[in-house]
Amino acid sequence: MLEALGLCKTFGALRVTNDVSFSLEKGERRVILGPNGAGKTTLFNLLVGELEPTAGTVQLNGDDVTRAGVEARAQMGLARSYQKNNLFDQLTVRENLALAVATATGKSAWFRKDTLKDAEINRIIVDVAAQVALSDHLDLAVESAPYGVRRQLEVGLALATGPSVLLMDEPTSGVGPEMIKAFHTLLKTLPENLTMLIIEHDMDLALDVADRVTVLNYGEVVFEGTPDETRSSPLVEEIYLGGWDSHA
Amino acid sequence: MFYQTKTKSAALAFLVISGIIYAIFTGYFGREMVIEAAILAILAMSLDMVAGYGGMVSLCHGAIFGLGAYIFGILTAMLGLSPFLALPIAISVTALFGFAVGGVTSKTSGIFFIMTTLAFGQMVYVIIFDARSLGGDDGMSGIPRMDLSLIGLDMNDSLTFGIFVILAAALVYLLIAAILRAGFGRSLVGLRSNETRMRALGMAIWKYKATSFAISGGIAGLAGALAAQHTMFISPSMLVWTVSGEALVVVILGGLGTLIGPAFGAVLFVFLKHEVSEFTNYWHLIVGTVLIITVVMGNKGIYGQLEHMIDNWLHKKQGRISLAKEDNHA
Ligand SMILES: Nc1ncnc2c1ncn2[C@@H]1O[C@H](COP(=O)(O)OP(=O)(O)OP(=O)(O)O)[C@@H](O)[C@H]1O
Ligand SMILES: [Mg+2]
């Protein structure tokens, strides 16, 4: 589904991504672990096309998309959520979701019909809102919504495009244990054929949902394995106990 | 986002009806003002579509306006084409020009966007100013109005032409309102709000920017072609960049991102221009003062402020029952 081959990225003299390769099978859930500044977000930016790699390629469904724009990859079914909320602040939760659904379904180019009155769009909005526990907050203006609501909308926007590959950058960052639990449940209930790559600091959640784990350190893949192998890996433990940021 | 609220519908009806009544009972001079205001309203609404909803503050709408006037003038006065053919051609050419501006500038933002649109506008101005065959600085006269005598209307009568232009402005409002309510317009607002996220959701930004600028440009071109028919004379002064500046002032005065507000702004602007200049040459000073007051008072513009007050009042009256959603934020 999604494949990285020898991805490298340097900012000036700083090597942030160093020869990263991995391949996601259809329906695979992979968690990326790594300390602050390990290059996790940068890797996401390379995968979705917000950054261009210094070397290496990205493949999506077998096509080389290394030179394809962000929007082209999104149209191919690649969606991402951001580490820092990146929403349409002046609009309501419903309007936010409507933009995502309309764009993904090609209805954003409609010249005559009101997308907010479209039955299919509204059905998807209601579905997604239920998934990310936003059903009661649909008419809240995002800029005045509580952080938790905005955090859920961040993932909701990505989900609303109906992706086949979903990249989530620390979806639970800054939220309380209750919401982490709810998010855990959400991950368990998403369709099995949805391929997911998740950057997650919460170890319990990460190792429970993951099929495979990739650990990044200083831009390099230093470990790859199953959750069990991760738990028993001395290397991971060393990095982990070496004081990386975790609320686990 | 754009919502056709009851307040907006009432405001539109008020403008159209009071405009027509005023045109009927006033004299020739008053009708000239009505026509000028209606044409300026069309230009201002076209600008509000891209600036207020798409976040693209254009400084070339004056040039597009002038371009529409010149295309119409060239085709009718010089080439003898029927105004009925010349009008759609003028609209198409200005729309095409708008598409080019919107496409080329789609990767720029902020001050760079504004400066690039200014450069496009100056380009058109210089070309027309330098063209000896178009009369250069002296302009071009003898531009005909559309002949509607077949349906019994004499367009050379200022009242008939005035009502025609008012209705044209109302139609333009309805057209833009429909586009802003449709998927396209909603995406435009999303684009203004967060371009990065729109791309991440899969939107090909440049197409939307170019298309919205094309629609806006075509409407500005229509305003220009109507202005050419109104005065029956055109000159490069129609394309000077200060015309774009004035249009922007009108939009902000009336209420950026309210669509009907700029129409109010146009009425106020034309009124101040003619009435105040009776007493003093410093009418720009008065306009400037009014502009500063509206901006300081919360940047909603005259209409935006009014709508805000009316909606608050209705809210109070109806207790906590919420009205149709307001769109102060779009
Ligand atoms: N645009 C940029 N220009 C220069 N340096 C950058 C840029 N983006 C990221 N970096 C640097 O690259 C390194 C990796 O950053 P990145 O955000 O990918 O880390 P991360 O693993 O996501 O960290 P965190 O856990 O804090 O989110 C950091 O040292 C960061 O300062
Ligand atoms: Mg990060």
Side-chain angles (χ1 to χ4, degrees), chain B residues 6-73:
Chain B
K6 290 193 179 105
T7 319
K8 279 201 168 72
S9 303
L12 175 67
F14 169 78
L15 278 180
V16 170
I17 293 168
S18 61
I20 290 176
I21 291 177
Y22 181 74
I24 290 173
F25 290 103
T26 185
Y28 174 78
F29 184 68
R31 282 177 199 149
E32 290 296 296
M33 269 171 54
V34 170
I35 295 167
E36 200 182 327
I39 291 174
L40 184 57
I42 296 178
L43 175 63
M45 287 188 290
S46 80
L47 179 58
D48 194 31
M49 176 183 168
V50 284
Y53 292 92
M56 294 174 271
V57 178
S58 155
L59 268 187
C60 68
H61 266 58
I64 301 180
F65 173 79
L67 182 64
Y70 263 88
I71 306 241
F72 187 83

Side-chain angles (χ1 to χ4, degrees), chain A residues 4-172:
Chain A
L5 265 169
L7 279 181
C8 295
K9 180 70 189 177
T10 53
F11 292 112
L14 189 65
R15 189 174 280 260
V16 177
T17 309
N18 194 358
D19 196 22
V20 171
S21 302
F22 62 83
S23 169
L24 291 184
E25 302 291 318
K26 187 175 176 66
E28 179 179 339
R29 278 100 211 265
R30 184 181 299 240
V31 166
I32 296 185
L33 299 173
N36 284 122
K40 305 181 294 294
T41 299
T42 304
L43 176 63
F44 266 26
N45 289 336
L46 294 172
L47 293 173
V48 301
E50 287 186 25
L51 285 175
E52 224 179 291
T54 319
T57 58
V58 178
Q59 291 197 0
L60 189 57
N61 303 326
D63 294 325
D64 187 335
V65 293
T66 317
R67 301 271 161 270
V70 176
E71 61 273 26
R73 296 185 210 193
Q75 282 161 13
M76 292 170 74
L78 182 64
R80 67 96 53 99
S81 75
Y82 291 83
Q83 182 173 358
K84 285 204 182 97
N85 291 337
N86 191 2
L87 310 166
F88 304 99
D89 287 338
Q90 298 89 347
L91 308 183
T92 64
V93 171
R94 185 192 306 277
E95 289 167 343
N96 267 260
L97 291 171
L99 281 175
V101 180
T103 305
T105 52
K107 293 176 177 176
S108 58
W110 274 1
F111 268 105
R112 300 172 60 138
K113 265 177 84 178
D114 186 344
T115 32
L116 289 176
K117 295 206 175 106
D118 183 63
E120 193 204 0
I121 289 180
N122 279 307
R123 187 178 53 72
I124 301 176
I125 290 176
V126 168
D127 284 354
V128 172
Q131 282 183 313
V132 291
L134 287 175
S135 303
D136 296 333
H137 308 291
L138 279 172
D139 291 312
L140 223 52
V142 167
E143 56 194 349
S144 55
Y147 177 81
V149 167
R150 281 184 274 145
R151 200 65 200 141
Q152 276 158 317
L153 180 59
E154 179 56 48
V155 172
L157 279 183
L159 269 180
T161 63
S164 52
V165 182
L166 178 58
L167 275 51
M168 288 183 276
D169 195 345
E170 299 192 26
T172 64

Side-chain angles (χ1 to χ4, degrees), chain B residues 230-277:
Chain B
H230 173 216
T231 51
M232 301 175 174
F233 166 78
I234 52 179
S235 77
S237 67
M238 292 175 87
L239 299 100
V240 183
W241 73 274
T242 52
V243 177
S244 304
E246 260 175 26
L248 209 52
V249 166
V250 166
V251 169
I252 294 169
L253 206 60
L256 180 75
T258 61
L259 195 57
I260 193 70
F264 278 92
V267 172
L268 182 72
F269 188 86
V270 170
F271 175 81
L272 286 176
K273 181 171 158 186
H274 288 285
E275 294 303 317
V276 179
S277 61

